[in-house]
Amino acid sequence: MLVGNGWVDFVVGRAGVDEMSSDMEQPYRLDGKVALVTGGASGIGAAIARELARAGAEVLVADLDLEAAQGLAGELPLGRAVQMDVTEAASIGAALDQIPTLDILVNNAGISMAADLASTSEEEFERLMRVNVHGVYLVTRALLPQLLMSHGCIVNIGSVAGIVGVKKRFAYSASKGAVVAMTRQIAVDYPKEIRCNCVAPGTVQTPYLEGYLEKYHKHEKDKARAEMIARQPSGRLGTPEDIASLVRFLCSREASFINGAVLPVDGGWTAA
Ligand SMILES: NC(=O)c1ccc[n+]([C@@H]2O[C@H](COP(=O)([O-])OP(=O)(O)OC[C@H]3O[C@@H](n4cnc5c(N)ncnc54)[C@H](O)[C@@H]3O)[C@@H](O)[C@H]2O)c1
């Protein structure tokens, strides 16, 4: 809390402090905002949906998996489930009736695979691009009128793999590099109308990580997990909540001067 520590008095003066104090008592609030989280039914997306709801937002949990989305939406005070396949314009279009207004879009739905260039098939490369890149493009374009109308904000979930090279992540890195580029491009094209930022997680404990370990390291999960921890100087895996906290902040009034930023949440991985 800044109030009462002298710094706020210095910056805004006493009257300013009184005006701000009700807001400052509860920072990073999103009351009255409508947010949509793609891939919101699991892992990082679910934690983001919960955190935005905790901040007071009405949250639309958009996912391929309607049942899981309904389960989570039912737990949130103002939650709603939306069935959406981010790779299909028709599926996104069908959901638009349920989204007449929107203040916050979190492009979180994503998939991964582990392979270097030589062992990445064209089919797999296209599948990754379809979900991780095309999905962000299609959803954001479809919801752009609502976001322009509300002077809203977008948070794209990238990855450290979009910033630095990670062994055997050829297609995934390419797709997340495109997410970083799309983030900056939207920030540049709509600088006064929309804020668009990217959060780049390191390795985070989610069902997706467990699926990865089961698929690629079935007989050496502990060793693979230890290696993932070792590359993050903080000495642990991230939690979905680590990511969700930053997303909430980026969507808040307090972050109103942050635009086009790519922010790692990786326990120091990309700093090392
Ligand atoms: N877990 C990590 O270590 C990690 C690290 C860096 C970045 N990320 C990124 O975070 C995001 C979420 O990852 P997670 O670990 O929570 O994954 P997860 O697999 O736990 O959840 C992903 C959700 O997206 C949904 N989804 C998948 N394809 C979809 C589609 N076509 N349309 C709509 N929904 C779809 C799934 O049904 C699921 O609910 C992804 O973009 C991922 O690349 C994850």
Side-chain angles (χ1 to χ4, degrees):
M1 292 283 280
L2 293 175
V3 170
N5 70 359
W7 182 80
V8 169
D9 292 24
F10 171 73
V11 173
V12 299
R14 193 62 244 169
V17 170
D18 290 341
E19 266 167 35
M20 290 169 71
S21 61
S22 60
D23 244 6
M24 297 295 281
E25 276 159 20
Q26 292 202 315
Y28 322 128
R29 292 298 305 172
L30 301 173
D31 304 285
K33 305 285 185 194
V34 180
L36 182 138
V37 184
T38 69
S42 170
I44 292 171
I48 294 169
R50 287 195 178 94
E51 188 59 35
L52 299 184
R54 218 156 65 90
E58 174 180 345
V59 179
L60 282 69
V61 181
D63 207 288
L64 264 183
D65 184 343
L66 181 61
E67 211 180 311
Q70 284 169 332
L72 175 57
E75 288 174 25
L76 308 177
L78 297 168
R80 273 194 285 147
V82 177
Q83 178 143 40
M84 184 185 287
D85 179 347
V86 299
T87 68
E88 295 294 336
S91 164
I92 298 163
L96 286 181
D97 280 355
Q98 300 171 63
I99 320 168
T101 64
L102 189 69
D103 303 284
I104 295 165
L105 169 62
V106 183
N107 284 308
N108 163 79
I111 57 170
S112 179
M113 64 171 287
D116 61 15
L117 167 61
S119 45
T120 300
S121 69
E122 196 175 343
E123 203 177 44
E124 286 167 323
F125 187 82
E126 281 173 356
R127 190 174 66 93
L128 264 276
M129 288 296 180
R130 187 91 207 152
V131 179
N132 297 358
V133 182
H134 217 92
V136 173
Y137 155 67
L138 284 177
V139 173
T140 310
R141 194 181 61 159
L143 292 168
L144 192 59
Q146 287 88 328
L147 291 165
L148 288 172
M149 184 96 76
S150 65
H151 279 233
C153 101
I154 300 168
V155 180
N156 293 326
I157 304 302
S159 167
V160 295
I163 304 173
V164 296
V166 180
K167 279 227 169 266
K168 294 194 175 168
R169 293 290 188 283
F170 180 73
Y172 185 66
S173 290
S175 72
K176 292 300 186 177
V179 171
V180 167
M182 287 190 285
T183 299
R184 293 187 174 131
Q185 196 54 43
I186 292 167
V188 165
D189 280 338
Y190 305 97
K192 295 198 168 69
E193 298 89 346
I194 290 176
R195 287 187 308 111
C196 183
N197 293 294
C198 176
V199 174
T203 305
V204 177
Q205 181 66 58
T206 67
Y208 159 112
L209 180 68
E210 289 310 312
Y212 165 85
L213 289 170
E214 179 67 25
K215 184 167 177 188
Y216 297 104
H217 299 279
K218 197 173 172 53
H219 303 297
E220 46 160 23
K221 282 190 197 173
D222 289 346
K223 180 170 168 272
R225 197 187 303 273
E227 285 169 6
M228 288 173 166
I229 291 171
R231 70 189 176 189
Q232 307 199 131
S234 294
R236 66 170 175 88
L237 295 175
T239 65
E241 292 72 26
D242 289 328
I243 312 304
S245 306
L246 179 57
V247 173
R248 172 176 175 175
F249 169 68
L250 287 172
C251 296
S252 72
R253 183 187 55 77
E254 286 86 345
S256 62
F257 200 50
I258 303 178
N259 197 13
V262 179
L263 300 160
V265 182
D266 63 0
W269 177 354
T270 51

